[in-house]
Amino acid sequence: MGAGRKFIVKTQRGMESVAANYISELLPKAEVWASPMGYSGLVLVESSDEDALEKILQIPEVERVIPVIVETEASLEKIAESAEKLADFIDENETYAVKTKRRGKHDFSSIDVNRVLGAKIKELTNADVNLSWPDKVVQVEIIGDRAYISVIPGEEFRKYTPDKIDARKLFKKLTIVQMPYWGDYKACRLFGEKIGRAAQAFEVKELIIAPKERMDAYELMEFIRGVKIGQESRYQIQRDAYPWNVEKVPVTVWDLYQVVRDKRRKKRLLIITDPKGPTLAEVKDKLAKDLHYAKEVVVFIGSREGIPKGLFRFADYVVDLAPYMTFATEHGIPAALVSLWEVYEEFLRGGEKGE
């Protein structure tokens, strides 16, 4: 590529050629390379146009544009050397994080880059590292044997900011009691995958698979096998995406009635989701307070059949999440937990206003 300022342009996979064509129209003198080295979702742009960044951002297919500060060989040594130029963009009183996206085969990992480059920047700037909401992000994009490095505002990466209440405040003390799906083996595994993925996604305290009566061992086996597959797939995504350590949700099997006996004896907050109960709006104020002070919140979710009515009188709440609607088995966990979180967050926001 020729002289000019370089940009890493990111698109949805399959849209890189479309974006590249529009970029070429807006920047006719620019050099544009769609899917460099065959990597989809990427466009490399080099342009001497002073308004290149603004023009590229006019294209809807473009999701992000990263102006390149340093281009270097994709080796730990060379990347570390780039810290000399990058340090000028980070003040001592600012926080920073290094984030690396690596494409291709190398004798180092993305974590190695974050560690080595982060340490060098720390040495040069004396700025503090903040992985959750940094002021600046040192973005390292490695494509084959080249590394493209930039320093961009932390706001672009702030999924987790001080003004957002951490949903894990609730979910880490929440236990899901899920009746297993039964029937065709393939269906059992499919529903198990969806339930395992959902439980792991919310990082709940525990998932208890709770049959209400004797059931076919092989159907249960397929369901549990599906839970394991779904949980593992979600865990791998979380481990790569989150700036904190993620643990796999413990999964146990227990008789439904014994769960009720045990949790009731320990004075845990028991919630059953069922259309026969009052709506969430009717009980949300008291429920929110109970959610806040409970040591453990136990949510019972049916499968094909609802939770047995005999257990209703042992529950602290029987709640209808969506009047005149019945959720599919695989939607039970997301529907219940999102609804409970909305109630709980409203309570916490109210508490903040009252302080």
PDB file of all heavy atoms in Angstrom, residues 69-70 79-96 98 117-128 136-139 149-152:
ATOM      1  N   ILE A  69      -1.959   4.032  14.334  1.00  0.00           N
ATOM      2  CA  ILE A  69      -0.851   4.894  14.754  1.00  0.00           C
ATOM      3  C   ILE A  69       0.483   4.254  14.402  1.00  0.00           C
ATOM      4  O   ILE A  69       1.399   4.914  13.920  1.00  0.00           O
ATOM      5  CB  ILE A  69      -0.927   5.165  16.274  1.00  0.00           C
ATOM      6  CG1 ILE A  69      -2.181   5.973  16.608  1.00  0.00           C
ATOM      7  CG2 ILE A  69       0.325   5.902  16.765  1.00  0.00           C
ATOM      8  CD1 ILE A  69      -2.421   6.149  18.094  1.00  0.00           C
ATOM      9  N   VAL A  70       0.562   2.938  14.639  1.00  0.00           N
ATOM     10  CA  VAL A  70       1.803   2.217  14.372  1.00  0.00           C
ATOM     11  C   VAL A  70       1.498   0.962  13.561  1.00  0.00           C
ATOM     12  O   VAL A  70       0.592   0.208  13.907  1.00  0.00           O
ATOM     13  CB  VAL A  70       2.513   1.800  15.688  1.00  0.00           C
ATOM     14  CG1 VAL A  70       3.778   0.996  15.375  1.00  0.00           C
ATOM     15  CG2 VAL A  70       2.854   3.024  16.530  1.00  0.00           C
ATOM     16  N   ILE A  79       6.224  -5.238  18.579  1.00  0.00           N
ATOM     17  CA  ILE A  79       5.011  -4.645  19.147  1.00  0.00           C
ATOM     18  C   ILE A  79       5.348  -3.897  20.426  1.00  0.00           C
ATOM     19  O   ILE A  79       4.848  -2.802  20.681  1.00  0.00           O
ATOM     20  CB  ILE A  79       3.952  -5.743  19.402  1.00  0.00           C
ATOM     21  CG1 ILE A  79       3.436  -6.284  18.063  1.00  0.00           C
ATOM     22  CG2 ILE A  79       2.799  -5.190  20.235  1.00  0.00           C
ATOM     23  CD1 ILE A  79       2.534  -7.496  18.196  1.00  0.00           C
ATOM     24  N   ALA A  80       6.213  -4.465  21.250  1.00  0.00           N
ATOM     25  CA  ALA A  80       6.624  -3.800  22.483  1.00  0.00           C
ATOM     26  C   ALA A  80       7.343  -2.482  22.183  1.00  0.00           C
ATOM     27  O   ALA A  80       7.161  -1.478  22.889  1.00  0.00           O
ATOM     28  CB  ALA A  80       7.520  -4.724  23.308  1.00  0.00           C
ATOM     29  N   GLU A  81       8.138  -2.474  21.121  1.00  0.00           N
ATOM     30  CA  GLU A  81       8.855  -1.252  20.745  1.00  0.00           C
ATOM     31  C   GLU A  81       7.902  -0.123  20.368  1.00  0.00           C
ATOM     32  O   GLU A  81       8.228   1.064  20.509  1.00  0.00           O
ATOM     33  CB  GLU A  81       9.805  -1.538  19.581  1.00  0.00           C
ATOM     34  CG  GLU A  81      11.005  -2.388  19.957  1.00  0.00           C
ATOM     35  CD  GLU A  81      11.865  -2.728  18.747  1.00  0.00           C
ATOM     36  OE1 GLU A  81      11.533  -2.248  17.629  1.00  0.00           O
ATOM     37  OE2 GLU A  81      12.850  -3.472  18.903  1.00  0.00           O
ATOM     38  N   SER A  82       6.712  -0.462  19.891  1.00  0.00           N
ATOM     39  CA  SER A  82       5.739   0.552  19.481  1.00  0.00           C
ATOM     40  C   SER A  82       5.251   1.394  20.649  1.00  0.00           C
ATOM     41  O   SER A  82       4.682   2.467  20.461  1.00  0.00           O
ATOM     42  CB  SER A  82       4.545  -0.105  18.791  1.00  0.00           C
ATOM     43  OG  SER A  82       3.749  -0.828  19.725  1.00  0.00           O
ATOM     44  N   ALA A  83       5.468   0.904  21.865  1.00  0.00           N
ATOM     45  CA  ALA A  83       5.018   1.633  23.055  1.00  0.00           C
ATOM     46  C   ALA A  83       5.608   3.037  23.114  1.00  0.00           C
ATOM     47  O   ALA A  83       4.995   3.954  23.673  1.00  0.00           O
ATOM     48  CB  ALA A  83       5.386   0.854  24.315  1.00  0.00           C
ATOM     49  N   GLU A  84       6.781   3.217  22.547  1.00  0.00           N
ATOM     50  CA  GLU A  84       7.422   4.540  22.553  1.00  0.00           C
ATOM     51  C   GLU A  84       6.523   5.582  21.880  1.00  0.00           C
ATOM     52  O   GLU A  84       6.386   6.696  22.362  1.00  0.00           O
ATOM     53  CB  GLU A  84       8.776   4.464  21.827  1.00  0.00           C
ATOM     54  CG  GLU A  84       9.804   3.570  22.484  1.00  0.00           C
ATOM     55  CD  GLU A  84      10.445   4.207  23.711  1.00  0.00           C
ATOM     56  OE1 GLU A  84      10.232   5.420  23.917  1.00  0.00           O
ATOM     57  OE2 GLU A  84      11.147   3.489  24.447  1.00  0.00           O
ATOM     58  N   LYS A  85       5.908   5.219  20.758  1.00  0.00           N
ATOM     59  CA  LYS A  85       5.013   6.143  20.061  1.00  0.00           C
ATOM     60  C   LYS A  85       3.642   6.208  20.719  1.00  0.00           C
ATOM     61  O   LYS A  85       3.011   7.274  20.771  1.00  0.00           O
ATOM     62  CB  LYS A  85       4.861   5.720  18.597  1.00  0.00           C
ATOM     63  CG  LYS A  85       6.140   5.826  17.782  1.00  0.00           C
ATOM     64  CD  LYS A  85       5.904   5.412  16.340  1.00  0.00           C
ATOM     65  CE  LYS A  85       7.184   5.529  15.514  1.00  0.00           C
ATOM     66  NZ  LYS A  85       6.985   5.098  14.109  1.00  0.00           N
ATOM     67  N   LEU A  86       3.169   5.083  21.227  1.00  0.00           N
ATOM     68  CA  LEU A  86       1.831   5.028  21.814  1.00  0.00           C
ATOM     69  C   LEU A  86       1.754   5.811  23.123  1.00  0.00           C
ATOM     70  O   LEU A  86       0.698   6.351  23.467  1.00  0.00           O
ATOM     71  CB  LEU A  86       1.438   3.566  22.076  1.00  0.00           C
ATOM     72  CG  LEU A  86       1.454   2.637  20.861  1.00  0.00           C
ATOM     73  CD1 LEU A  86       1.228   1.203  21.290  1.00  0.00           C
ATOM     74  CD2 LEU A  86       0.395   3.056  19.840  1.00  0.00           C
ATOM     75  N   ALA A  87       2.856   5.870  23.854  1.00  0.00           N
ATOM     76  CA  ALA A  87       2.868   6.524  25.164  1.00  0.00           C
ATOM     77  C   ALA A  87       2.485   7.993  25.080  1.00  0.00           C
ATOM     78  O   ALA A  87       1.959   8.567  26.045  1.00  0.00           O
ATOM     79  CB  ALA A  87       4.248   6.368  25.807  1.00  0.00           C
ATOM     80  N   ASP A  88       2.729   8.627  23.918  1.00  0.00           N
ATOM     81  CA  ASP A  88       2.385  10.045  23.766  1.00  0.00           C
ATOM     82  C   ASP A  88       0.886  10.288  23.814  1.00  0.00           C
ATOM     83  O   ASP A  88       0.434  11.422  24.021  1.00  0.00           O
ATOM     84  CB  ASP A  88       2.934  10.572  22.430  1.00  0.00           C
ATOM     85  CG  ASP A  88       4.455  10.583  22.398  1.00  0.00           C
ATOM     86  OD1 ASP A  88       5.073  10.638  23.476  1.00  0.00           O
ATOM     87  OD2 ASP A  88       5.020  10.530  21.279  1.00  0.00           O
ATOM     88  N   PHE A  89       0.098   9.226  23.643  1.00  0.00           N
ATOM     89  CA  PHE A  89      -1.353   9.378  23.594  1.00  0.00           C
ATOM     90  C   PHE A  89      -2.031   9.051  24.935  1.00  0.00           C
ATOM     91  O   PHE A  89      -3.255   9.099  25.045  1.00  0.00           O
ATOM     92  CB  PHE A  89      -1.930   8.461  22.500  1.00  0.00           C
ATOM     93  CG  PHE A  89      -1.493   8.833  21.116  1.00  0.00           C
ATOM     94  CD1 PHE A  89      -0.291   8.369  20.596  1.00  0.00           C
ATOM     95  CD2 PHE A  89      -2.272   9.676  20.333  1.00  0.00           C
ATOM     96  CE1 PHE A  89       0.121   8.706  19.318  1.00  0.00           C
ATOM     97  CE2 PHE A  89      -1.864  10.021  19.045  1.00  0.00           C
ATOM     98  CZ  PHE A  89      -0.663   9.543  18.544  1.00  0.00           C
ATOM     99  N   ILE A  90      -1.247   8.694  25.942  1.00  0.00           N
ATOM    100  CA  ILE A  90      -1.802   8.316  27.247  1.00  0.00           C
ATOM    101  C   ILE A  90      -1.137   9.138  28.336  1.00  0.00           C
ATOM    102  O   ILE A  90       0.090   9.082  28.506  1.00  0.00           O
ATOM    103  CB  ILE A  90      -1.590   6.804  27.522  1.00  0.00           C
ATOM    104  CG1 ILE A  90      -2.231   5.964  26.416  1.00  0.00           C
ATOM    105  CG2 ILE A  90      -2.159   6.423  28.891  1.00  0.00           C
ATOM    106  CD1 ILE A  90      -1.913   4.480  26.502  1.00  0.00           C
ATOM    107  N   ASP A  91      -1.935   9.909  29.079  1.00  0.00           N
ATOM    108  CA  ASP A  91      -1.398  10.717  30.178  1.00  0.00           C
ATOM    109  C   ASP A  91      -1.250   9.886  31.441  1.00  0.00           C
ATOM    110  O   ASP A  91      -1.940   8.876  31.622  1.00  0.00           O
ATOM    111  CB  ASP A  91      -2.315  11.911  30.458  1.00  0.00           C
ATOM    112  CG  ASP A  91      -2.355  12.888  29.290  1.00  0.00           C
ATOM    113  OD1 ASP A  91      -1.347  12.956  28.544  1.00  0.00           O
ATOM    114  OD2 ASP A  91      -3.395  13.555  29.120  1.00  0.00           O
ATOM    115  N   GLU A  92      -0.407  10.353  32.327  1.00  0.00           N
ATOM    116  CA  GLU A  92      -0.153   9.637  33.574  1.00  0.00           C
ATOM    117  C   GLU A  92      -1.419   9.507  34.428  1.00  0.00           C
ATOM    118  O   GLU A  92      -1.617   8.512  35.124  1.00  0.00           O
ATOM    119  CB  GLU A  92       0.940  10.354  34.378  1.00  0.00           C
ATOM    120  CG  GLU A  92       1.299   9.661  35.678  1.00  0.00           C
ATOM    121  CD  GLU A  92       2.414  10.363  36.424  1.00  0.00           C
ATOM    122  OE1 GLU A  92       2.975  11.339  35.883  1.00  0.00           O
ATOM    123  OE2 GLU A  92       2.722   9.944  37.566  1.00  0.00           O
ATOM    124  N   ASN A  93      -2.292  10.504  34.357  1.00  0.00           N
ATOM    125  CA  ASN A  93      -3.511  10.478  35.186  1.00  0.00           C
ATOM    126  C   ASN A  93      -4.674   9.746  34.517  1.00  0.00           C
ATOM    127  O   ASN A  93      -5.790   9.737  35.021  1.00  0.00           O
ATOM    128  CB  ASN A  93      -3.939  11.896  35.555  1.00  0.00           C
ATOM    129  CG  ASN A  93      -4.260  12.745  34.337  1.00  0.00           C
ATOM    130  OD1 ASN A  93      -4.014  12.336  33.201  1.00  0.00           O
ATOM    131  ND2 ASN A  93      -4.797  13.934  34.560  1.00  0.00           N
ATOM    132  N   GLU A  94      -4.424   9.135  33.357  1.00  0.00           N
ATOM    133  CA  GLU A  94      -5.451   8.359  32.672  1.00  0.00           C
ATOM    134  C   GLU A  94      -5.249   6.870  32.939  1.00  0.00           C
ATOM    135  O   GLU A  94      -4.168   6.422  33.331  1.00  0.00           O
ATOM    136  CB  GLU A  94      -5.403   8.612  31.168  1.00  0.00           C
ATOM    137  CG  GLU A  94      -5.826  10.007  30.757  1.00  0.00           C
ATOM    138  CD  GLU A  94      -5.805  10.194  29.259  1.00  0.00           C
ATOM    139  OE1 GLU A  94      -4.804   9.819  28.622  1.00  0.00           O
ATOM    140  OE2 GLU A  94      -6.792  10.730  28.714  1.00  0.00           O
ATOM    141  N   THR A  95      -6.311   6.096  32.714  1.00  0.00           N
ATOM    142  CA  THR A  95      -6.206   4.635  32.791  1.00  0.00           C
ATOM    143  C   THR A  95      -6.255   4.063  31.382  1.00  0.00           C
ATOM    144  O   THR A  95      -6.750   4.705  30.454  1.00  0.00           O
ATOM    145  CB  THR A  95      -7.342   4.036  33.634  1.00  0.00           C
ATOM    146  OG1 THR A  95      -8.600   4.359  33.019  1.00  0.00           O
ATOM    147  CG2 THR A  95      -7.321   4.572  35.055  1.00  0.00           C
ATOM    148  N   TYR A  96      -5.741   2.860  31.243  1.00  0.00           N
ATOM    149  CA  TYR A  96      -5.700   2.261  29.914  1.00  0.00           C
ATOM    150  C   TYR A  96      -5.856   0.745  30.008  1.00  0.00           C
ATOM    151  O   TYR A  96      -5.724   0.140  31.077  1.00  0.00           O
ATOM    152  CB  TYR A  96      -4.380   2.600  29.212  1.00  0.00           C
ATOM    153  CG  TYR A  96      -3.187   1.861  29.770  1.00  0.00           C
ATOM    154  CD1 TYR A  96      -2.727   0.681  29.188  1.00  0.00           C
ATOM    155  CD2 TYR A  96      -2.527   2.331  30.898  1.00  0.00           C
ATOM    156  CE1 TYR A  96      -1.654  -0.016  29.711  1.00  0.00           C
ATOM    157  CE2 TYR A  96      -1.445   1.656  31.430  1.00  0.00           C
ATOM    158  CZ  TYR A  96      -1.012   0.486  30.842  1.00  0.00           C
ATOM    159  OH  TYR A  96       0.047  -0.200  31.362  1.00  0.00           O
ATOM    160  N   VAL A  98      -5.009  -2.791  27.235  1.00  0.00           N
ATOM    161  CA  VAL A  98      -4.536  -3.269  25.934  1.00  0.00           C
ATOM    162  C   VAL A  98      -5.446  -4.404  25.484  1.00  0.00           C
ATOM    163  O   VAL A  98      -5.679  -5.356  26.238  1.00  0.00           O
ATOM    164  CB  VAL A  98      -3.078  -3.758  26.007  1.00  0.00           C
ATOM    165  CG1 VAL A  98      -2.618  -4.247  24.625  1.00  0.00           C
ATOM    166  CG2 VAL A  98      -2.165  -2.650  26.502  1.00  0.00           C
ATOM    167  N   LEU A 117       3.006  -5.533  26.000  1.00  0.00           N
ATOM    168  CA  LEU A 117       2.800  -4.142  25.596  1.00  0.00           C
ATOM    169  C   LEU A 117       2.257  -3.319  26.772  1.00  0.00           C
ATOM    170  O   LEU A 117       2.661  -2.166  26.977  1.00  0.00           O
ATOM    171  CB  LEU A 117       1.841  -4.076  24.414  1.00  0.00           C
ATOM    172  CG  LEU A 117       1.578  -2.684  23.829  1.00  0.00           C
ATOM    173  CD1 LEU A 117       2.876  -2.002  23.429  1.00  0.00           C
ATOM    174  CD2 LEU A 117       0.635  -2.784  22.627  1.00  0.00           C
ATOM    175  N   GLY A 118       1.343  -3.916  27.546  1.00  0.00           N
ATOM    176  CA  GLY A 118       0.795  -3.212  28.703  1.00  0.00           C
ATOM    177  C   GLY A 118       1.872  -2.841  29.701  1.00  0.00           C
ATOM    178  O   GLY A 118       1.878  -1.725  30.262  1.00  0.00           O
ATOM    179  N   ALA A 119       2.808  -3.747  29.955  1.00  0.00           N
ATOM    180  CA  ALA A 119       3.888  -3.482  30.907  1.00  0.00           C
ATOM    181  C   ALA A 119       4.804  -2.369  30.402  1.00  0.00           C
ATOM    182  O   ALA A 119       5.248  -1.508  31.179  1.00  0.00           O
ATOM    183  CB  ALA A 119       4.692  -4.760  31.141  1.00  0.00           C
ATOM    184  N   LYS A 120       5.068  -2.378  29.098  1.00  0.00           N
ATOM    185  CA  LYS A 120       5.933  -1.346  28.522  1.00  0.00           C
ATOM    186  C   LYS A 120       5.270   0.026  28.604  1.00  0.00           C
ATOM    187  O   LYS A 120       5.932   1.033  28.927  1.00  0.00           O
ATOM    188  CB  LYS A 120       6.233  -1.701  27.070  1.00  0.00           C
ATOM    189  CG  LYS A 120       7.298  -0.829  26.421  1.00  0.00           C
ATOM    190  CD  LYS A 120       8.643  -1.029  27.058  1.00  0.00           C
ATOM    191  CE  LYS A 120       9.734  -0.233  26.327  1.00  0.00           C
ATOM    192  NZ  LYS A 120      11.054  -0.356  26.987  1.00  0.00           N
ATOM    193  N   ILE A 121       3.978   0.093  28.334  1.00  0.00           N
ATOM    194  CA  ILE A 121       3.261   1.371  28.419  1.00  0.00           C
ATOM    195  C   ILE A 121       3.227   1.856  29.858  1.00  0.00           C
ATOM    196  O   ILE A 121       3.387   3.048  30.142  1.00  0.00           O
ATOM    197  CB  ILE A 121       1.840   1.215  27.842  1.00  0.00           C
ATOM    198  CG1 ILE A 121       1.918   1.000  26.332  1.00  0.00           C
ATOM    199  CG2 ILE A 121       0.987   2.441  28.161  1.00  0.00           C
ATOM    200  CD1 ILE A 121       0.592   0.657  25.690  1.00  0.00           C
ATOM    201  N   LYS A 122       3.036   0.950  30.788  1.00  0.00           N
ATOM    202  CA  LYS A 122       3.057   1.300  32.207  1.00  0.00           C
ATOM    203  C   LYS A 122       4.406   1.906  32.588  1.00  0.00           C
ATOM    204  O   LYS A 122       4.480   2.920  33.300  1.00  0.00           O
ATOM    205  CB  LYS A 122       2.792   0.037  33.041  1.00  0.00           C
ATOM    206  CG  LYS A 122       2.940   0.220  34.545  1.00  0.00           C
ATOM    207  CD  LYS A 122       1.827   1.061  35.131  1.00  0.00           C
ATOM    208  CE  LYS A 122       1.916   1.119  36.631  1.00  0.00           C
ATOM    209  NZ  LYS A 122       0.895   1.996  37.232  1.00  0.00           N
ATOM    210  N   GLU A 123       5.463   1.310  32.103  1.00  0.00           N
ATOM    211  CA  GLU A 123       6.818   1.784  32.402  1.00  0.00           C
ATOM    212  C   GLU A 123       7.040   3.197  31.861  1.00  0.00           C
ATOM    213  O   GLU A 123       7.669   4.039  32.512  1.00  0.00           O
ATOM    214  CB  GLU A 123       7.822   0.815  31.772  1.00  0.00           C
ATOM    215  CG  GLU A 123       9.272   1.199  31.937  1.00  0.00           C
ATOM    216  CD  GLU A 123      10.188   0.261  31.172  1.00  0.00           C
ATOM    217  OE1 GLU A 123       9.901  -0.956  31.139  1.00  0.00           O
ATOM    218  OE2 GLU A 123      11.179   0.751  30.590  1.00  0.00           O
ATOM    219  N   LEU A 124       6.492   3.473  30.669  1.00  0.00           N
ATOM    220  CA  LEU A 124       6.720   4.759  30.018  1.00  0.00           C
ATOM    221  C   LEU A 124       5.791   5.865  30.513  1.00  0.00           C
ATOM    222  O   LEU A 124       6.165   7.045  30.501  1.00  0.00           O
ATOM    223  CB  LEU A 124       6.558   4.606  28.504  1.00  0.00           C
ATOM    224  CG  LEU A 124       7.606   3.731  27.804  1.00  0.00           C
ATOM    225  CD1 LEU A 124       7.200   3.473  26.371  1.00  0.00           C
ATOM    226  CD2 LEU A 124       8.981   4.396  27.864  1.00  0.00           C
ATOM    227  N   THR A 125       4.569   5.514  30.911  1.00  0.00           N
ATOM    228  CA  THR A 125       3.567   6.537  31.263  1.00  0.00           C
ATOM    229  C   THR A 125       3.244   6.605  32.744  1.00  0.00           C
ATOM    230  O   THR A 125       2.754   7.625  33.224  1.00  0.00           O
ATOM    231  CB  THR A 125       2.252   6.272  30.510  1.00  0.00           C
ATOM    232  OG1 THR A 125       1.684   5.033  30.977  1.00  0.00           O
ATOM    233  CG2 THR A 125       2.478   6.198  29.011  1.00  0.00           C
ATOM    234  N   ASN A 126       3.452   5.504  33.446  1.00  0.00           N
ATOM    235  CA  ASN A 126       3.052   5.368  34.851  1.00  0.00           C
ATOM    236  C   ASN A 126       1.531   5.463  35.026  1.00  0.00           C
ATOM    237  O   ASN A 126       1.028   5.714  36.122  1.00  0.00           O
ATOM    238  CB  ASN A 126       3.738   6.418  35.735  1.00  0.00           C
ATOM    239  CG  ASN A 126       3.766   5.999  37.197  1.00  0.00           C
ATOM    240  OD1 ASN A 126       3.869   4.809  37.508  1.00  0.00           O
ATOM    241  ND2 ASN A 126       3.652   6.955  38.102  1.00  0.00           N
ATOM    242  N   ALA A 127       0.792   5.283  33.931  1.00  0.00           N
ATOM    243  CA  ALA A 127      -0.672   5.278  34.003  1.00  0.00           C
ATOM    244  C   ALA A 127      -1.141   3.939  34.574  1.00  0.00           C
ATOM    245  O   ALA A 127      -0.424   2.937  34.523  1.00  0.00           O
ATOM    246  CB  ALA A 127      -1.267   5.498  32.617  1.00  0.00           C
ATOM    247  N   ASP A 128      -2.354   3.932  35.133  1.00  0.00           N
ATOM    248  CA  ASP A 128      -2.908   2.718  35.731  1.00  0.00           C
ATOM    249  C   ASP A 128      -3.719   1.923  34.713  1.00  0.00           C
ATOM    250  O   ASP A 128      -4.356   2.489  33.827  1.00  0.00           O
ATOM    251  CB  ASP A 128      -3.804   3.064  36.923  1.00  0.00           C
ATOM    252  CG  ASP A 128      -3.008   3.611  38.098  1.00  0.00           C
ATOM    253  OD1 ASP A 128      -1.845   3.187  38.274  1.00  0.00           O
ATOM    254  OD2 ASP A 128      -3.540   4.462  38.834  1.00  0.00           O
ATOM    255  N   LYS A 136      -8.429   5.084  27.980  1.00  0.00           N
ATOM    256  CA  LYS A 136      -7.889   4.831  26.655  1.00  0.00           C
ATOM    257  C   LYS A 136      -7.730   3.316  26.448  1.00  0.00           C
ATOM    258  O   LYS A 136      -7.425   2.589  27.394  1.00  0.00           O
ATOM    259  CB  LYS A 136      -6.509   5.495  26.493  1.00  0.00           C
ATOM    260  CG  LYS A 136      -6.514   7.013  26.614  1.00  0.00           C
ATOM    261  CD  LYS A 136      -7.117   7.664  25.396  1.00  0.00           C
ATOM    262  CE  LYS A 136      -7.145   9.181  25.495  1.00  0.00           C
ATOM    263  NZ  LYS A 136      -5.814   9.804  25.607  1.00  0.00           N
ATOM    264  N   VAL A 137      -7.914   2.889  25.211  1.00  0.00           N
ATOM    265  CA  VAL A 137      -7.706   1.490  24.858  1.00  0.00           C
ATOM    266  C   VAL A 137      -6.626   1.428  23.783  1.00  0.00           C
ATOM    267  O   VAL A 137      -6.728   2.093  22.751  1.00  0.00           O
ATOM    268  CB  VAL A 137      -8.994   0.830  24.336  1.00  0.00           C
ATOM    269  CG1 VAL A 137      -8.695  -0.560  23.761  1.00  0.00           C
ATOM    270  CG2 VAL A 137     -10.018   0.718  25.453  1.00  0.00           C
ATOM    271  N   VAL A 138      -5.588   0.664  24.058  1.00  0.00           N
ATOM    272  CA  VAL A 138      -4.558   0.400  23.065  1.00  0.00           C
ATOM    273  C   VAL A 138      -5.026  -0.830  22.287  1.00  0.00           C
ATOM    274  O   VAL A 138      -5.030  -1.945  22.796  1.00  0.00           O
ATOM    275  CB  VAL A 138      -3.191   0.146  23.721  1.00  0.00           C
ATOM    276  CG1 VAL A 138      -2.140  -0.142  22.640  1.00  0.00           C
ATOM    277  CG2 VAL A 138      -2.779   1.340  24.573  1.00  0.00           C
ATOM    278  N   GLN A 139      -5.453  -0.602  21.058  1.00  0.00           N
ATOM    279  CA  GLN A 139      -6.023  -1.660  20.237  1.00  0.00           C
ATOM    280  C   GLN A 139      -4.963  -2.218  19.294  1.00  0.00           C
ATOM    281  O   GLN A 139      -4.387  -1.481  18.488  1.00  0.00           O
ATOM    282  CB  GLN A 139      -7.206  -1.126  19.429  1.00  0.00           C
ATOM    283  CG  GLN A 139      -7.926  -2.172  18.606  1.00  0.00           C
ATOM    284  CD  GLN A 139      -8.692  -3.171  19.465  1.00  0.00           C
ATOM    285  OE1 GLN A 139      -9.022  -2.891  20.603  1.00  0.00           O
ATOM    286  NE2 GLN A 139      -8.957  -4.341  18.909  1.00  0.00           N
ATOM    287  N   ILE A 149      -1.606  -0.893  15.210  1.00  0.00           N
ATOM    288  CA  ILE A 149      -1.856  -0.521  16.606  1.00  0.00           C
ATOM    289  C   ILE A 149      -2.395   0.898  16.685  1.00  0.00           C
ATOM    290  O   ILE A 149      -1.931   1.804  15.975  1.00  0.00           O
ATOM    291  CB  ILE A 149      -0.566  -0.641  17.449  1.00  0.00           C
ATOM    292  CG1 ILE A 149       0.071  -2.014  17.218  1.00  0.00           C
ATOM    293  CG2 ILE A 149      -0.862  -0.445  18.932  1.00  0.00           C
ATOM    294  CD1 ILE A 149       1.435  -2.181  17.842  1.00  0.00           C
ATOM    295  N   SER A 150      -3.367   1.095  17.566  1.00  0.00           N
ATOM    296  CA  SER A 150      -3.987   2.400  17.726  1.00  0.00           C
ATOM    297  C   SER A 150      -4.284   2.656  19.196  1.00  0.00           C
ATOM    298  O   SER A 150      -4.285   1.730  20.014  1.00  0.00           O
ATOM    299  CB  SER A 150      -5.283   2.477  16.918  1.00  0.00           C
ATOM    300  OG  SER A 150      -5.851   3.769  17.001  1.00  0.00           O
ATOM    301  N   VAL A 151      -4.545   3.904  19.524  1.00  0.00           N
ATOM    302  CA  VAL A 151      -5.024   4.287  20.853  1.00  0.00           C
ATOM    303  C   VAL A 151      -6.338   5.013  20.645  1.00  0.00           C
ATOM    304  O   VAL A 151      -6.384   6.044  19.967  1.00  0.00           O
ATOM    305  CB  VAL A 151      -4.023   5.195  21.592  1.00  0.00           C
ATOM    306  CG1 VAL A 151      -4.591   5.603  22.952  1.00  0.00           C
ATOM    307  CG2 VAL A 151      -2.682   4.494  21.763  1.00  0.00           C
ATOM    308  N   ILE A 152      -7.396   4.473  21.198  1.00  0.00           N
ATOM    309  CA  ILE A 152      -8.726   5.035  20.969  1.00  0.00           C
ATOM    310  C   ILE A 152      -9.427   5.292  22.297  1.00  0.00           C
ATOM    311  O   ILE A 152      -9.063   4.713  23.332  1.00  0.00           O
ATOM    312  CB  ILE A 152      -9.574   4.094  20.088  1.00  0.00           C
ATOM    313  CG1 ILE A 152      -9.628   2.701  20.693  1.00  0.00           C
ATOM    314  CG2 ILE A 152      -9.018   4.025  18.692  1.00  0.00           C
ATOM    315  CD1 ILE A 152     -10.359   1.702  19.837  1.00  0.00           C
TER     316      ILE A 152
END
